[in-house]
Amino acid sequence: MADKPQSGEILGIPYNFERPSIGRLLSSYWQPGKGMLVKKPFGVGYTLNLANWHSWVVLLAAGAMLFLERRGQTGAVAEDDDGPVEVIVDDD
């Protein structure tokens, strides 16, 4: 049986299942001159290029949303909740 390729593309999405080295891991996340998204060093799809400033904006926005979500869950109970409400619909 023929060996299956360990890297390539399926429907335009890259994959790479070769064993990653430390150098390949580090160089894949820092690629100056490339776009915001680069091929993952291991697995399927794309990852953020930390050499591009757009990636840092995305990380900051995601961190801010996570912070705000967790801050909102710390015992803040809605004060306008008065309990069950009865709704009467008139069929006129």
Side-chain angles (χ1 to χ4, degrees):
M1 189 179 237
D3 291 331
K4 295 181 182 179
Q6 293 187 344
S7 65
E9 286 189 6
I10 296 178
L11 300 173
I13 300 173
Y15 68 91
N16 188 353
F17 294 112
E18 297 172 358
R19 186 175 182 167
S21 65
I22 297 295
R24 192 175 86 190
L25 283 173
L26 294 176
S27 68
S28 65
Y29 290 106
W30 191 269
Q31 296 183 17
K34 298 279 184 168
M36 184 174 82
L37 297 176
V38 291
K39 294 179 183 179
K40 282 182 136 183
F42 182 79
V44 178
Y46 296 93
T47 189
L48 291 175
N49 178 11
L50 297 178
N52 189 312
W53 68 272
H54 294 97
S55 298
W56 290 101
V57 171
V58 169
L59 288 174
L60 286 173
M65 288 189 293
L66 182 63
F67 172 76
L68 291 174
E69 178 188 4
R70 290 194 177 172
R71 188 174 132 206
Q73 294 176 355
T74 58
V77 179
E79 295 179 14
D80 60 347
D81 187 16
D82 295 332
V85 177
E86 182 178 346
V87 177
I88 299 174
V89 178
D90 195 13
D91 290 336
D92 289 333

